Amino acid sequence: MAKKNILITGGAGFIGSHVVRLFVNQYPDYQIINLDKLTYAGNPANLKDVEDKPNYRFLKADICDFEKIKEVFTTFKVTDVIHLAAESHVDRSITDPFSFAKTNVLGTLNLLQAAKESWKDAYTDKLFYHVSTDEVYGALEFDGTLFTEETRYDPHSPYSASKASSDHFVRAYHDTYGLQTIISNCSNNYGPNQFPEKLIPLFIHNIRQNKPLPVYGKGENVRDWLYVEDHARAIDLIFHKGKVGDTYNIGGFNEWKNIDLIRVIIKTVDRLLGREEGTSEKLITYVTDRAGHDLRYAIDATKIKDELGWEPSLQFEEGIEKTVQWYIENQEWLDDIASGAYQDVCGD
Ligand SMILES: NC(=O)c1ccc[n+]([C@@H]2O[C@H](COP(=O)([O-])OP(=O)(O)OC[C@H]3O[C@@H](n4cnc5c(N)ncnc54)[C@H](O)[C@@H]3O)[C@@H](O)[C@H]2O)c1
């Protein structure tokens, strides 16, 4: 396998940490440079198990700092980029849209331009892989339709608008300058190391603490859920075998109405904590719906299955069981987030 120096951005976050771990362990000949600003969502503890590996390097830096990014490309002779760094929480984007435009749009543009300048139009064997979301496609009705790679972009939240914009810039650099790019758009991820502001870890945490479980509206919104390691496997496959200039949708063919998903979480946490099943149902608290809340997302992942042979490896019940078990066994990880101690650790 050819040697590569891969810049992975956002590797201290939820999905990024699983991608970094997979690449560091699977490809000892690759140098993996994890560049992360360590915002509230970045946690170096997510990668404790790989931090001493010889092919791993952590850099604390901001993708919005163009000069720094250019320097990183030169210093580390970056050959490829897997770009995950982003502001990722829809609720935060509603209260602070500017930081989403800054990081997700301008930060992505900085990376594209740094790649273009550093690779000096010699793009062979160099790839800029951009990790995006199914939320760029907007919302579906309850009619069985699915988002395909051809679905028109129709973002509704500041988060999805910023991700859509970054996707457009990636395509523009491919079409205008010939940069070799690939984009993947994935559905909702769940699994270990997800920041506990997101639904699944938040609810596991609250059930343990007997705290209310705030459900938006009537809990009718539908999302497709994918275990995070299956997403990391898909990224690995697309990075190595995907067609340059293409887009791949990634999803679990696993749609859940929020309220039904919450009942599965409650059942699993109660059982694993030795509580009588359903005890925690009383914690469900319906709250005012999120503004502009998309009704339903569902991904058609046929292309990646047919072209690259990727399929989710875990059944949802199995994935939820593993996830709940992980949060129960890693209470310290959650406690460190609650106390702020997780941000005391820094790289260069
Ligand atoms: N979580 C999901 O369900 C999901 C689904 C599909 C796509 N995605 C996309 O995958 C990517 C990762 O999502 P996640 O859930 O792991 O996010 P996350 O919020 O857990 O992690 C984001 C990481 O990016 C870092 N970061 C933020 N701003 C930065 C900046 N300016 N410079 C450098 N680093 C910065 C943070 O410190 C953090 O480590 C995002 O691009 C997101 O849009 C997420």
Side-chain angles (χ1 to χ4, degrees), residues 10 12-16 35-39 41-43 61-64 84-88 103 131-133 159 163 186-189 194 198 231:
F14 167 48
I15 301 170
L35 184 149
D36 198 298
K37 184 183 173 184
L38 296 183
T39 67
N43 185 349
D62 186 343
I63 57 167
C64 297
L84 296 108
E87 289 292 342
S88 71
T103 294
V131 176
S132 192
T133 166
Y159 165 65
K163 290 297 291 187
C186 188
S187 60
N188 278 28
N189 285 214
Q194 189 168 28
K198 304 277 171 70
H231 187 188

Side-chain angles (χ1 to χ4, degrees), residues 124-182:
T124 321
D125 296 331
K126 300 201 174 64
L127 180 68
F128 190 106
Y129 181 155
H130 178 59
V131 176
S132 192
T133 166
D134 62 352
E135 303 196 24
V136 298
Y137 296 125
L140 296 165
E141 298 295 329
F142 293 124
D143 57 3
T145 49
L146 301 171
F147 297 134
T148 72
E149 287 80 359
E150 276 71 49
T151 301
R152 193 173 70 85
Y153 275 29
D154 185 20
H156 296 146
S157 72
Y159 165 65
S160 52
S162 68
K163 290 297 291 187
S165 175
S166 65
D167 292 8
H168 290 319
F169 271 109
V170 173
R171 286 198 184 93
Y173 268 66
H174 173 265
D175 296 349
T176 309
Y177 307 113
L179 197 72
Q180 302 212 82
T181 63
I182 295 185

